[in-house]
Amino acid sequence: MAFPNLANVSIGLKSAAHVGIAVSDLDRSVAFYQALLGKEPVVRDESMHGAGFAQSQGLPTTKLRYATFNLDNLGIDLIQFQEPVGDVAQVAANRPGSMHLCFHVDDVRSVFDRMSEAGFEFLGQPYTFAAGEVNPPAAVGTEVAYFNDPDGTNLEIIAPKGGFARSE
């Protein structure tokens, strides 16, 4: 893939509309995200297809089902490709090309406990960054916990401090 000379580029994108997550079973993923987010999708079991749409994605053909959840600041599109069906990605936090979706919470431990009681499985216990582990130092005290959706998409809950906190 060719990239422009990035030293002379400043496009200036300022806002995200949505994140798209490819899933293997739309109904299973809708149930997972519905439980996680506590809300119904704004659209469910919609479809897209066509040669032009496929070409825009670099695919020979495209037929998909999707559902969309809207958060206060971001949409989450769950997309099940029916044609062509893709291979399962080998995602992990340290694999280039892998991404994660992070949810802001006020208290990681209480959300972790509620989620665990409901049957969500975490990759490890919640963690709080200590002095010397993170820069800028103002981010010390940030709490995080990580888990996966049914297809292995990396998800995080965070109670950010300092440099991890978004300015409003």
Side-chain angles (χ1 to χ4, degrees):
M1 175 179 265
F3 288 97
N5 177 356
L6 299 178
N8 299 318
V9 175
S10 178
I11 304 300
L13 303 178
K14 304 246 188 275
S15 180
H18 70 269
V19 60
I21 301 173
V23 302
S24 62
D25 180 331
L26 183 64
D27 299 319
R28 177 183 69 176
S29 293
V30 164
F32 176 89
Y33 281 90
Q34 191 170 336
L36 181 65
L37 304 174
K39 57 174 46 183
E40 296 281 332
V42 293
V43 296
R44 182 182 190 145
D45 205 16
E46 298 294 326
S47 63
M48 291 183 191
H49 60 88
F53 179 57
Q55 183 182 18
S56 75
Q57 295 191 348
L59 297 170
T61 182
T62 301
K63 180 180 177 188
L64 58 86
R65 299 170 57 214
Y66 72 94
T68 299
F69 288 89
N70 284 338
L71 303 179
D72 292 343
N73 60 347
L74 183 71
I76 300 173
D77 290 351
L78 304 176
I79 307 161
Q80 179 183 348
F81 280 82
Q82 296 170 304
E83 293 176 18
V85 174
D87 295 330
V88 175
Q90 298 299 313
V91 298
N94 65 337
R95 291 190 180 203
S98 292
M99 52 94 37
H100 72 271
L101 176 58
C102 184
F103 298 95
H104 182 274
V105 300
D106 292 327
D107 183 338
V108 166
R109 177 50 76 175
S110 69
V111 173
F112 175 90
D113 289 344
R114 285 195 344 258
M115 289 176 65
S116 295
E117 288 169 14
F120 289 86
E121 293 183 20
F122 283 82
L123 301 176
Q125 290 294 310
Y127 185 74
T128 303
F129 285 98
E133 292 182 330
V134 64
N135 280 313
V140 168
T142 293
E143 295 175 283
V144 296
Y146 298 90
F147 59 107
N148 292 330
D149 77 2
D151 289 296
T153 300
N154 297 310
L155 302 173
E156 174 186 4
I157 54 175
I158 188 171
K161 304 280 189 236
F164 288 138
R166 289 177 49 133
S167 58
E168 299 298 324

